[in-house]
Amino acid sequence: MAETPRDLLMQASFGDHDRATALGRINLALQGAAAVLRNSPGDPEAGLMHATAIGYHAKLTGSRGEAVAARRSFEALVQRNPRNAEAQLALGAWHLGAVQRLGRLVGRAALGAQKPVGLSALDQAVALGGNRAMFSGLAALLRLQMDPDDSRGRALAEAAARAATPMPIDRIVQRAAAQIIAALRKGDEGAVRKLAMRSLPFGQLPGES
């Protein structure tokens, strides 16, 4: 069976250890999602994967235009369906990722990134996502990479360690949450931040964590 855009993006973001290989998969995912959207413009899965692929490509290439386009696509998806937990998660991750990379002032001026918007979207994602490790776990990682002393981030990591793991992404994130909890219990803030950054998408690539 051919890999879906979701499969390709998951492998690129958590499995590939070479930037060129990851970019190749992202491009394939982008093409696949675009092909679906040409026939079904409102397809929610294809829309989310298309926006995610653009955002991932922007992250690895440093394209400001693509980063802004990804943000606008995530916003449109959330506006179309505010109860789409994955779209909320993607929007929150976009904002916090941009703030983490560029800082609050530069991130907001250059890309429109805002930490409060990101945190609100993550909270919405966790509330809507049910008992899946992906939602609480990724929210925890995003918070803890910015502030290892974030009590909400710690609580989310502990929730992720107990949550259901119906999909491979849930299992990946749950393992990361368990590692983060061990570092938190030791009081090692440097290790918490490093683990969080390494466990997020593309954290395994040189120069990305």
Side-chain angles (χ1 to χ4, degrees):
M1 294 178 62
E3 289 182 292
T4 66
R6 184 181 287 268
D7 293 334
L8 290 163
L9 292 177
M10 183 173 164
Q11 176 61 31
S13 57
F14 291 104
D16 290 334
H17 288 76
D18 174 81
R19 188 177 298 265
T21 302
L23 281 168
R25 284 191 216 277
I26 291 167
N27 285 330
L28 287 175
L30 186 61
Q31 293 165 17
V36 174
L37 290 172
R38 281 194 292 272
N39 295 320
S40 303
D43 186 288
E45 170 72 3
L48 180 59
M49 293 305 105
H50 191 266
T52 301
I54 293 173
Y56 282 177
H57 197 273
K59 178 177 175 63
L60 296 189
T61 63
S63 170
R64 178 185 178 277
E66 287 183 339
V68 172
R71 189 201 80 218
R72 289 174 177 162
S73 293
F74 292 138
E75 289 171 343
L77 289 166
V78 167
Q79 185 174 21
R80 192 175 305 141
N81 181 8
R83 298 191 63 78
N84 184 329
E86 287 193 79
Q88 292 280 8
L89 181 64
L91 180 62
W94 185 94
H95 277 280
L96 293 194
V99 170
Q100 171 68 17
R101 182 174 289 248
L102 300 175
R104 288 192 189 186
L105 295 178
V106 176
R108 181 164 186 171
L111 301 175
Q114 299 180 60
K115 183 178 178 181
V117 174
L119 293 175
S120 176
L122 290 186
D123 286 344
Q124 287 291 321
V126 171
L128 294 167
N131 185 38
R132 279 188 61 187
M134 177 180 78
F135 295 103
S136 52
L138 286 175
L141 295 174
L142 286 159
R143 282 177 168 273
L144 292 168
Q145 72 161 341
M146 300 186 74
D147 178 9
D149 197 37
D150 186 324
S151 59
R152 171 69 169 155
R154 179 170 186 149
L156 287 166
E158 291 172 348
R162 302 187 301 269
T165 56
M167 303 295 290
I169 181 65
D170 295 292
R171 295 189 284 276
I172 290 171
V173 174
Q174 189 174 73
R175 286 195 295 269
Q179 293 177 323
I180 288 281
I181 290 168
L184 284 166
R185 288 174 178 166
K186 292 178 182 178
D188 190 340
E189 292 189 357
V192 169
R193 189 188 299 274
K194 187 173 182 179
L195 281 168
M197 294 177 70
R198 188 187 304 155
S199 301
L200 285 165
F202 305 106
Q204 79 281 4
L205 292 181
E208 290 295 325
S209 64

